[in-house]
Amino acid sequence: MARKTNTTINGTNYFRVTATVGKDSDGIPIRKQFYGESKKEAEAKRDEYMENINKGLAVNYDKALFGVAFKTWFTEVLKPSISLSTYTRYEIDYRRRIASCGISHMRLTDIRAANIQALYNTLLESNTPKTIRAIHKLLMQFFIYCVKADIVIKNPLLAVELPKVDYKSTVNKAISDDDINKLLKAVEENISNLVYVFAIFSGLREGEILALTKKDIDMDNETIHVNKSVKYLTVDKVYKPVISSTKTINGVRTVPMLGAITQYIQTYMQHEEEKHNRMGIPFTKDSILFSSCVCTYRDSRSLLRMFNKLCTKLGIERVTVHSLRHTFCTILAKQGVPLKTASILMGHSDIGITARIYTHVDDAEKRRGIEKLSTYFGQKN
């Protein structure tokens, strides 16, 4: 028995049904056509579509492709809501790992957890688990938006399993007391090396240190006012320093200085003023504290190169500049500074971040802590 059809497309017969699925901004009804190999199939597609519309999905939700929808959301919704430095970091993940990924040509309504899982598994072949988690964080924001915007009903990422991150291997390594003493000696010999010792005994982030100006240092009260950060970014094809707020809300803080560091700062400011005078640039309260050789903001990559050279010269194992901040937190842990106090000094948004560093205090410190319990065995009833 021949199938009953009512339309032909490219030589193939279909059954077509039409339904009003909504109204446009002018109140004019929007009509949509549904095709099937039979009347029953076409009507089933229509009924499924209308059921989703009744659940709150937007009209033409079925036409939204992941690649197109994500790009629009990324540039029109996400970008205006985040800092330039955060957007730049996200843009790298988008351009390298998301824009042309395996699901880019899929309809949003067709994407399932298995599709995302397969994408992560593929990316994991050439990326670290930490990178996959960063991508997941970005995609999670996108699909949460899609649910709120009635583009999809459910977030497919909720059923996705993420690769485990070995936090022990990703935590920056604190330098030893011997290496700290080597850096202190290097400052005595050349005050321009102060930035590294300053990082160890202030706990500031690299961008926070490089953004400091003379007025941010209160010499009378021996405190540091942390209220901004700087990072070199490519903006409109120009590589330049961009000043932004601190990484977290808790990043705006006042950090006490050791008296010894204050004395170093006094010497260092004289050094900076002499450098400014040689350049014919006034050294004012708004002058950059740890400036480049031409009195501009220092680039973090340049700072790391100089630090690596210094470490090689002093016989210190190569670490990152961020390791100096990690060293500060580790020193606090060794000295028994309460976790909450350390978290405030570090400017962490989550005390759990500080806690992870506290748990990595070296084995010798743990052993000394356990040995203190032996005093109980010396007590007599």
Side-chain angles (χ1 to χ4, degrees):
M1 181 176 178
R3 291 181 296 126
K4 185 178 180 181
T5 58
N6 61 6
T7 189
T8 300
I9 300 176
N10 296 327
T12 303
N13 296 325
Y14 297 96
F15 196 94
R16 178 180 62 194
V17 296
T18 305
T20 300
V21 297
K23 294 182 179 180
D24 63 18
S25 58
D26 296 323
I28 300 174
I30 299 173
R31 302 282 289 174
K32 185 175 178 66
Q33 297 176 338
F34 303 87
Y35 297 88
E37 293 184 356
S38 66
K39 180 180 179 182
K40 183 178 180 180
E41 183 179 319
E43 289 177 340
K45 290 181 179 180
R46 176 200 60 195
D47 293 345
E48 180 184 4
Y49 188 90
M50 294 307 298
E51 181 182 354
N52 285 330
I53 292 295
N54 291 332
K55 288 180 180 178
L57 291 189
V59 174
N60 292 328
Y61 72 88
D62 58 322
K63 293 183 178 180
L65 298 180
F66 171 82
V68 176
F70 188 91
K71 182 178 181 181
T72 300
W73 168 81
F74 189 73
T75 56
E76 302 298 331
V77 179
L78 181 65
K79 184 178 180 180
S81 67
I82 56 179
S83 68
L84 181 59
S85 60
T86 301
Y87 173 78
T88 301
R89 187 173 70 252
Y90 281 164
E91 194 276 335
I92 294 174
D93 278 335
Y94 166 63
R95 176 166 39 85
R96 294 180 179 178
R97 304 175 180 94
I98 297 176
S100 58
C101 68
I103 64 172
S104 61
H105 298 296
M106 291 183 65
R107 293 188 302 178
L108 281 173
T109 53
D110 291 338
I111 294 177
R112 301 290 182 267
N115 303 119
I116 303 295
Q117 195 75 64
L119 171 64
Y120 290 175
N121 292 342
T122 299
L123 290 173
L124 195 56
E125 295 175 2
S126 55
N127 296 275
T128 65
K130 190 175 181 180
T131 297
I132 303 304
R133 286 177 172 264
I135 293 170
H136 180 77
K137 181 180 179 181
L138 187 56
L139 291 182
M140 182 63 78
Q141 293 180 66
F142 169 67
F143 276 105
I144 288 175
Y145 169 81
C146 288
V147 172
K148 290 181 178 179
D150 298 327
I151 301 173
V152 298
I153 295 175
K154 295 181 179 180
N155 183 345
L157 272 67
L158 298 179
V160 173
E161 295 292 332
L162 294 176
K164 292 183 178 180
V165 176
D166 183 0
Y167 286 106
K168 289 184 179 180
S169 65
T170 58
V171 172
N172 282 272
K173 181 179 179 181
I175 66 174
S176 67
D177 289 346
D178 286 342
D179 289 342
I180 293 175
N181 288 329
K182 289 177 182 178
L183 287 173
L184 285 169
K185 185 176 180 181
V187 173
E188 293 287 349
E189 295 174 352
N190 186 346
I191 194 64
S192 64
N193 292 319
L194 178 62
V195 62
Y196 309 115
V197 168
F198 183 87
I200 293 173
F201 291 99
S202 69
L204 271 62
R205 298 178 177 89
E206 184 177 7
E208 294 170 344
I209 293 174
L210 298 182
L212 288 174
T213 58
K214 182 181 177 182
K215 67 182 177 184
D216 294 324
I217 306 298
D218 186 338
M219 300 296 289
D220 294 331
N221 295 306
E222 297 187 337
T223 55
I224 309 162
H225 299 297
V226 187
N227 48 52
K228 56 189 174 298
S229 184
V230 65
K231 186 175 184 178
Y232 271 80
L233 300 171
T234 300
V235 181
D236 297 328
K237 299 182 179 181
V238 177
Y239 190 65
K240 63 181 182 180
V242 175
I243 304 297
S244 63
S245 57
T246 56
K247 186 176 181 180
T248 66
I249 295 176
N250 295 332
V252 177
R253 61 201 188 279
T254 298
V255 178
M257 281 192 300
L258 288 172
I261 296 298
T262 304
Q263 293 176 11
Y264 278 134
I265 287 290
Q266 288 177 330
T267 303
Y268 183 81
M269 282 190 178
Q270 294 174 3
H271 167 78
E272 275 294 309
E273 186 170 11
E274 291 171 1
K275 181 173 67 177
H276 278 66
N277 290 337
R278 288 195 301 270
M279 296 292 298
I281 302 173
F283 187 59
T284 68
K285 64 179 182 178
D286 294 315
S287 295
I288 305 163
L289 184 60
F290 295 104
S291 67
S292 68
C293 60
V294 291
C295 304
T296 58
Y297 286 107
R298 295 180 72 170
D299 183 355
S300 60
R301 293 185 294 186
S302 173
L303 186 68
L304 178 59
R305 285 196 298 270
M306 296 299 293
F307 183 51
N308 285 337
K309 289 182 179 179
L310 182 61
C311 287
T312 300
K313 178 182 177 181
L314 300 177
I316 298 175
E317 181 182 352
R318 276 197 174 191
V319 290
T320 65
V321 175
H322 188 76
S323 293
L324 304 179
R325 170 172 158 84
H326 183 80
T327 301
F328 172 78
C329 193
T330 301
I331 292 173
L332 297 182
K334 289 180 177 180
Q335 297 302 320
V337 175
L339 181 61
K340 179 62 177 178
T341 302
S343 183
I344 293 173
L345 288 171
M346 295 288 287
H348 282 152
S349 60
D350 180 0
I351 196 171
I353 300 173
T354 321
R356 281 204 295 271
I357 300 176
Y358 262 49
T359 61
H360 285 81
V361 176
D362 62 31
D363 291 338
E365 291 296 319
K366 295 176 185 177
R367 171 55 59 187
R368 282 192 285 272
I370 291 296
E371 287 177 349
K372 290 181 180 179
L373 302 181
S374 63
T375 58
Y376 288 95
F377 294 92
Q379 296 176 358
K380 297 181 179 180
N381 295 328

